[in-house]
Amino acid sequence: MLTKIAYLFIFFVNPCLSEPGITLLDSWSFNKTLQAFPFSLVKFDTRSPSGPKHEAFKLIAQDLIEEDTLLFGQVLIFGYGSPENHDLAERFGLSQGILPEFIFFKRKTLSDKKDEYEMTRYGGEVNSVSLRRFLKLKTGLWLGLPGCIKELDELAATFSRNTGKDQQKIIQQVEKIVKNYKSTSDISVGKRYLKIMKIVQTKGVEFITAEINRITKLLTTKLTEEKTEDLKKNLNVLKSFHGKRIKDEL
């Protein structure tokens, strides 16, 4: 009875339990909830999540709230003296000192067996863009990085896997698509893709990796906010070209 009262008290005083897009998980709901979704990103955190990593997780969960194949879950690991979710902490080798920890789960089959999924621990930089890139890579879903367009992302990935005449056909296809855009913003984005494609035709796919490295280094220098945002969008478009012939630099 006391445990239930304590749990209800935490629910009402901790706003993290009712944040849009994030499902609170515990020892009882964890397995069943994950089995209901093809993909899940779960943040294991302290009983009172806060800080930039938590804010980044909230942001991406809210941005992708309409993506019904992807669950954003949160497990609160309580401190010593409280039994709540300690079994999950032991199961995944977690301790208070390493929290928050992000783990991605890919469902294998529909069953109630707790091991019917593939698990990947996220060890990259924790911000909404990096998490989005990670999820895009792991799920194969189009998750809309800033400055990108879905149909052009798909063509960019195909372009990077082809050569010669096949690449030229894709360029012509993109030119037709961009020509039909009404929005000035979409036209500008489309021209980014075309510019990269035409450079790759002459310099090869190695240009993609070299340009990603160049922009990444440039972003560590002092730039105006406008220039920084423009470079980040360029970087997102470049990463859309990652195919079998190009190594993703996540």
Side-chain angles (χ1 to χ4, degrees):
M1 181 66 177
L2 288 175
T3 302
K4 289 183 179 179
I5 292 173
Y7 186 82
L8 288 172
F9 174 75
I10 292 166
F11 180 85
F12 285 111
V13 301
N14 191 342
C16 296
L17 302 191
S18 58
E19 290 169 338
I22 299 175
T23 300
L24 184 69
L25 304 171
D26 58 26
S27 301
W28 295 274
S29 63
F30 188 86
N31 291 335
K32 288 184 179 180
T33 306
L34 261 64
Q35 283 299 312
F37 291 84
F39 310 107
S40 303
L41 181 64
V42 180
K43 178 167 72 72
F44 296 82
D45 212 335
T46 61
R47 67 188 301 167
S48 301
S50 61
K53 292 182 180 180
H54 178 63
E55 293 302 316
F57 186 69
K58 284 200 315 183
L59 180 59
I60 190 172
Q62 291 167 14
D63 283 350
L64 301 178
I65 199 168
E66 299 296 329
E67 183 51 67
D68 57 10
T69 63
L70 177 59
L71 168 75
F72 288 91
Q74 180 165 253
V75 175
L76 303 183
I77 307 297
F78 293 78
Y80 295 108
S82 299
E84 286 87 358
N85 302 331
H86 274 200
D87 58 325
L88 292 175
E90 291 179 5
R91 178 173 162 188
F92 297 110
L94 304 172
S95 66
Q96 291 282 320
I98 66 171
L99 299 178
E101 177 86 349
F102 297 82
I103 303 180
F104 173 79
F105 299 89
K106 180 179 180 181
R107 185 183 64 194
K108 290 183 179 178
T109 60
L110 279 172
S111 84
D112 58 359
K113 296 180 181 179
K114 67 179 183 181
D115 294 322
E116 289 300 305
Y117 44 69
E118 296 174 3
M119 184 180 80
T120 305
R121 293 178 186 268
Y122 178 73
E125 185 179 357
V126 181
N127 57 57
S128 60
V129 173
S130 295
L131 286 172
R132 194 185 293 252
R133 287 195 186 111
F134 171 75
L135 290 172
K136 179 181 177 183
L137 178 67
K138 299 301 293 185
T139 66
L141 300 171
W142 188 81
L143 301 177
L145 289 172
C148 295
I149 296 175
K150 183 178 181 180
E151 61 182 339
L152 299 185
D153 269 4
E154 292 169 351
L155 287 168
T158 303
F159 178 88
S160 69
R161 295 193 294 267
N162 287 278
T163 58
K165 292 181 179 179
D166 291 327
Q167 284 188 340
Q168 184 58 37
K169 288 179 181 178
I170 294 171
I171 288 176
Q172 291 171 351
Q173 186 177 351
V174 173
E175 286 176 336
K176 289 180 181 178
I177 290 171
V178 174
K179 188 177 180 180
N180 289 325
Y181 284 154
K182 306 299 182 185
S183 163
T184 302
S185 175
D186 286 348
I187 292 171
S188 177
V189 172
K191 288 180 178 179
R192 288 181 193 260
Y193 286 86
L194 282 170
K195 182 179 179 180
I196 293 168
M197 288 178 178
K198 290 176 180 178
I199 294 174
V200 168
Q201 268 197 314
T202 58
K203 293 189 176 182
V205 292
E206 294 78 11
F207 165 78
I208 302 292
T209 301
E211 189 66 0
I212 286 173
N213 291 337
R214 185 187 73 83
I215 292 177
T216 300
K217 289 178 182 177
L218 196 56
L219 285 170
T220 64
T221 63
K222 191 174 182 179
L223 302 166
T224 64
E225 184 176 345
E226 183 180 0
K227 183 63 175 177
T228 297
E229 289 305 308
D230 187 62
L231 285 174
K232 285 181 178 179
K233 289 178 180 179
N234 249 351
L235 194 60
N236 290 338
V237 171
L238 284 161
K239 285 183 176 288
S240 299
F241 284 79
H242 285 305
K244 292 180 181 178
R245 301 179 62 220
I246 303 176
K247 180 181 177 182
D248 199 316
E249 303 291 337
L250 282 173

